[in-house]
């Protein structure tokens, strides 16, 4: 008997092990399963590390992060590896480890801790030096081939408006790296094309104040180019001390910059597709929110699985990269709020529905593109004995009582005449105030716009209620009797402690003023990640 028991137990364990999945030490990155049981699936697991795509720049050290020394003063571009002081007037190497430029750069830098600063013209006691132009240069890791399309993406930084006024900058090319530097010994040589070796490839106008802006120029060279210089155009500079910054100069074949997820039609179109460039030497795997979409291994994704973050893992014979995130949000449009007051006993028809009670109503229609269009109704049906209506509006809005609009602050008597159907005398008190409700926020813990908070620049007693609904009318957030401008009672983008999906939500805010008045606000809120 005991032998039979052990045989049954052994058979049971044999069947169990045969039917169970084998334990693995690492995540399988394309099966939408948590293989290593660490709570992280596919791209969300560090085991699936694959760098995000970035075009390999033909300009070495494009972000000035490879350093040979820490700059201690101006004119130390030699501290940035591979960069060449192209002109006799000297560009400056700006780095957080040491020197920070003649004017304060905007912070943070676009990429890393280093950038360069350059002048366009220099003042002096008499007429200034309009030909004082500072350029940085580089010998390319591979030439720009004649007739091929290239793109240069870069960031330009602006200091205060009086130090970084609007200006024009240009990109120059030369066939031979021996052309760097140019104008040696002549500080007023001016722009590179004053010599025989250089041509201007492109230029653009820029303007800003205490900010970085990403710019790009497209190039199709007429001859093979081995060296470039970037800085001011050839026009004479004014007698002012202009100063600008450059960072992350990425020069590569133009087609590499287009390797990103794009849509083929309007986001609300039922036939919407996503796609990335095709190559028969590459393999593709689509992901939503970091989790593999099983079977989606082509360069086109048919019928995306709703709102979310989409990426594609692209693998070649000796390469792997992840495309930049594509935040897919289906737009929702909101029409003006219908705000009306009816007499006791009257009814209102809203989208073919007969409404007999005061309240806030939402209906969803469709636009010509197939998007949801939200219609709001704020209906106030007077009580039988009511003879006073108090309302608060924004400037430019109106409050309607029995089809009669009121727009000015004031006190109104007999606003419901006999022909309106109301037999009672109504006393309307109308006031105006201002409140700010954000239309979007991004709860991604980057310290910027992480909370949905109500702001007010007037004296209010409380926010009587703050309610947020999904587009189908489901309540996802509620706070009552709180003060505006208070981050402690803000929505953090979670529903029952779970991360809410990106998309459009509807808010209803009731403001209670110190004099006892109330005002309701309705609108849409876009949640981004």
């Amino acid at each position: 008997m005991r032998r039979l028991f052990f045989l049954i137990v052994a058979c049971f364990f044999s069947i169990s092990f045969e039917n169970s999945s084998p334990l693995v030490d690492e995540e399988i990155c394309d099966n939408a399963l948590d293989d290593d049981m660490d709570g992280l699936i596919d791209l969300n697991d560090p085991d699936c590390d694959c760098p995000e795509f970035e075009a390999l720049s033909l300009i070495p050290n494009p972000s000035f992060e490879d350093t040979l020394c820490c700059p201690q003063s101006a004119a130390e571009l030699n501290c940035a590896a591979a960069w060449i002081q192209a002109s006799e007037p000297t560009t400056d190497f700006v780095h957080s480890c040491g020197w920070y430029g003649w004017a304060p750069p905007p912070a943070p830098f676009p990429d890393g801790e280093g950038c360069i600063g350059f002048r366009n013209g220099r003042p002096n006691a008499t007429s200034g030096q309009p030909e004082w132009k500072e350029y940085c240069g580089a010998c390319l890791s591979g030439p720009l081939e004649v007739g091929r399309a290239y793109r240069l993406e870069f960031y330009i930084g602006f200091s205060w408006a009086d130090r970084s006024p609007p200006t024009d900058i240009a990109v120059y090319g030369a066939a031979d790296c021996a052309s760097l530097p140019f104008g040696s010994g002549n500080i007023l040589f001016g722009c590179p094309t004053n010599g025989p070796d250089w041509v201007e490839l492109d230029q653009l106008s820029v303007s800003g104040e205490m900010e970085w802006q990403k710019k790009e120029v497209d190039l199709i060279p007429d001859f093979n180019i081995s060296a470039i210089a970037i800085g001011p155009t050839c026009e004479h500079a004014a007698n002012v001390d202009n100063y600008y910054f450059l960072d992350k100069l990425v020069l590569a074949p133009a087609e590499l910059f287009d390797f990103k997820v794009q849509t083929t039609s309007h986001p609300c179109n039922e036939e919407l597709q996503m796609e990335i460039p095709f190559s028969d030497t590459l393999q593709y795997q689509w992901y939503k929110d970091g989790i593999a979409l099983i079977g989606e291994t082509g360069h086109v994704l048919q019928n995306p699985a709703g709102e979310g973050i989409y990426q594609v893992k692209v693998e070649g014979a000796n390469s792997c990269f992840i495309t930049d995130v594509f935040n897919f949000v289906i737009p929702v449009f909101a029409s003006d709020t219908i705000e009306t007051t009816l007499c006791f006993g009257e009814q209102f028809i809203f989208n073919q529905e007969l409404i007999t009670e005061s309240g806030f109503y939402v209906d969803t229609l469709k636009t010509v593109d197939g998007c949801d269009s939200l219609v709001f109704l704020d209906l106030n049906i007077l009580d039988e004995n009511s003879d006073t209506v108090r309302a608060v509006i924004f400037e430019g809005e109106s409050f309607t009582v029995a089809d009669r609009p009121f727009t000015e602050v004031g006190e109104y008597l007999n606003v419901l005449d006999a022909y309106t159907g109301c037999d009672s005398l109504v006393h309307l008190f109308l006031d105006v105030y201002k409140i700010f409700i954000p239309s979007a926020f991004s709860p991604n813990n980057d310290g910027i716009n992480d909370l949905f908070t109500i702001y007010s620049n007037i004296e209010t007693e409380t926010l009587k209620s703050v309610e947020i609904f999904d587009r189908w009318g489901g309540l996802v957030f509620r706070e009552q009797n709180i003060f505006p401008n208070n981050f402690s009672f803000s929505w953090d983008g979670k529903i029952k402690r779970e991360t809410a999906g990106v998309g459009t939500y509807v808010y209803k805010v009731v403001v209670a003023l110190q004099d006892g008045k109330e005002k309701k606000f309705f609108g849409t809120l876009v949640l981004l990640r």
Side-chain angles (χ1 to χ4, degrees):
M1 187 69 178
R2 177 175 298 180
R3 181 179 180 184
L4 177 61
F5 171 78
F6 283 113
L7 286 173
I8 294 173
V9 171
C11 181
F12 171 79
F13 279 105
S14 175
I15 294 174
S16 298
F17 282 117
E18 287 178 2
N19 293 334
S20 63
S21 299
L23 297 176
V24 296
D25 295 330
E26 292 187 359
E27 182 78 0
I28 300 172
C29 302
D30 57 3
N31 63 358
L33 298 175
D34 183 10
D35 304 287
D36 55 4
M37 304 298 291
D38 62 355
L40 303 173
I41 301 176
D42 292 347
L43 297 186
N44 301 305
D45 194 310
D47 291 343
C48 298
D49 185 31
C50 183
E52 289 193 358
F53 173 71
E54 186 172 275
L56 182 63
S57 180
L58 295 172
I59 301 176
N61 194 18
S63 296
F64 308 95
E65 296 308 301
D66 295 335
T67 61
L68 303 176
C69 54
C70 178
Q72 300 301 311
S73 63
E76 294 189 13
L77 186 60
N78 59 289
C79 285
W83 283 94
I84 299 172
Q85 178 55 60
S87 55
E88 194 72 10
T90 54
T91 48
D92 306 318
F93 184 34
V94 178
H95 200 282
S96 59
C97 70
W99 199 69
Y100 233 56
W102 291 111
F109 294 168
D111 189 18
E113 302 179 21
C115 68
I116 64 163
F118 69 94
R119 279 192 171 109
N120 181 16
R122 189 173 74 165
N124 62 18
T126 56
S127 60
Q129 295 174 313
E131 293 295 347
W132 184 281
K133 294 177 178 291
E134 299 179 349
Y135 299 87
C136 61
C139 185
L140 303 180
S141 58
L144 305 186
E145 299 174 357
V146 58
R148 187 176 182 183
Y150 295 86
R151 181 175 300 169
L152 172 63
E153 286 188 352
F154 63 95
Y155 287 85
I156 182 164
F158 304 88
S159 188
W160 302 309
D162 60 338
R163 292 300 305 272
S164 300
T167 190
D168 296 324
I169 61 173
V171 183
Y172 305 87
D176 194 335
C177 289
S179 300
L180 285 171
F182 53 83
S184 298
N186 181 4
I187 62 173
L188 299 182
F189 180 82
C191 79
T193 57
N194 288 336
D197 300 326
W198 292 87
V199 297
E200 181 183 294
L201 301 176
D202 203 354
Q203 65 171 268
L204 71 164
S205 299
V206 294
S207 63
E209 181 176 4
M210 291 308 299
E211 62 179 324
W212 288 97
Q213 294 181 5
K214 188 176 183 179
K215 300 293 183 179
E216 64 180 45
V217 293
D218 291 315
L219 313 172
I220 303 179
D222 295 328
F223 58 93
N224 290 348
I225 293 175
S226 297
I228 68 161
I230 185 169
T233 58
C234 292
E235 287 75 16
H236 284 193
N239 186 22
V240 292
D241 196 8
N242 295 343
Y243 200 69
Y244 309 89
F245 304 90
L246 290 172
D247 195 11
K248 197 174 183 181
L249 294 92
V250 178
L251 176 61
E255 65 268 16
L256 295 183
F257 292 94
D258 296 325
F259 225 102
K260 54 189 176 183
V261 176
Q262 295 180 325
T263 55
T264 59
S265 61
H266 193 280
C268 297
N269 193 311
E270 293 182 354
E271 299 180 356
L272 171 75
Q273 297 178 351
M274 295 181 184
E275 63 180 17
I276 60 173
F278 172 75
S279 172
D280 56 7
T281 63
L282 299 176
Q283 295 179 334
Y284 307 90
Q285 174 62 59
W286 287 82
Y287 295 82
K288 179 188 176 187
D289 299 327
I291 300 175
L293 298 173
I294 302 302
E296 299 295 349
T297 57
H299 78 288
V300 175
L301 176 64
Q302 305 273 2
N303 300 319
E307 296 179 320
I309 294 174
Y310 287 82
Q311 291 176 281
V312 184
K313 180 169 71 172
V314 182
E315 293 184 284
N318 299 301
S319 64
C320 167
F321 66 84
I322 302 291
T323 61
D324 195 8
V325 300
F326 179 75
N327 201 345
F328 179 52
V329 176
I330 301 175
V332 175
F333 300 91
S335 66
D336 293 335
T337 300
I338 303 172
E339 187 174 285
T340 189
T341 300
L342 300 180
C343 300
F344 176 78
E346 291 186 335
Q347 301 170 334
F348 192 91
I349 298 177
F350 184 55
N351 193 29
Q352 300 180 349
E353 179 182 354
L354 190 64
I355 300 176
T356 59
E357 297 181 357
S358 299
F360 171 68
Y361 301 88
V362 180
D363 191 28
T364 303
L365 305 178
K366 290 291 185 181
T367 67
V368 293
D369 294 312
C371 297
D372 288 343
S373 178
L374 303 182
V375 181
F376 308 127
L377 169 65
D378 184 24
L379 180 63
N380 179 32
I381 300 180
L382 298 177
D383 295 334
E384 185 175 11
N385 298 320
S386 175
D387 60 357
T388 300
V389 176
R390 299 181 182 275
V392 186
I393 62 173
F394 281 120
E395 294 178 357
E397 289 183 344
S398 64
F399 184 83
T400 302
V401 178
D403 298 328
R404 182 180 173 188
F406 295 86
T407 59
E408 301 294 334
V409 175
E411 181 177 336
Y412 301 90
L413 293 172
N414 298 315
V415 294
L416 294 181
D417 298 328
Y419 71 87
T420 64
C422 292
D423 297 330
S424 61
L425 175 68
V426 176
H427 194 176
L428 172 63
F429 295 88
L430 190 61
D431 203 352
V432 175
Y433 74 106
K434 297 179 179 179
I435 193 168
F436 175 70
I437 303 176
S439 61
F441 78 126
S442 55
N444 54 11
N445 296 321
D446 63 354
I448 301 174
N449 203 22
D450 286 327
L451 299 173
F452 174 72
T453 304
I454 310 300
Y455 303 90
S456 175
N457 64 345
I458 61 169
E459 293 185 354
T460 60
E461 185 173 0
T462 57
L463 299 176
K464 190 172 181 179
S465 66
V466 177
E467 295 176 321
I468 301 175
F469 306 82
D470 60 28
R471 69 176 61 178
W472 300 277
L475 181 66
V476 300
F477 175 82
R478 172 185 286 165
E479 285 286 354
Q480 294 179 310
N481 300 321
I482 60 175
F483 291 100
N485 311 317
N486 190 335
F487 290 94
S488 299
F489 297 94
S490 304
W491 188 35
D492 60 0
K494 294 183 178 179
I495 303 175
K496 295 181 180 180
R497 299 184 180 180
E498 297 293 331
T499 300
V502 298
T504 302
Y505 295 79
V506 177
Y507 62 78
K508 175 186 176 183
V509 178
V510 180
V511 180
L513 303 180
Q514 289 185 343
D515 58 3
K517 299 177 184 178
E518 291 185 0
K519 177 65 179 178
K520 301 175 184 177
F521 297 88
F522 317 101
T524 58
L525 165 69
V526 177
L527 188 155
L528 302 171
R529 295 287 180 188

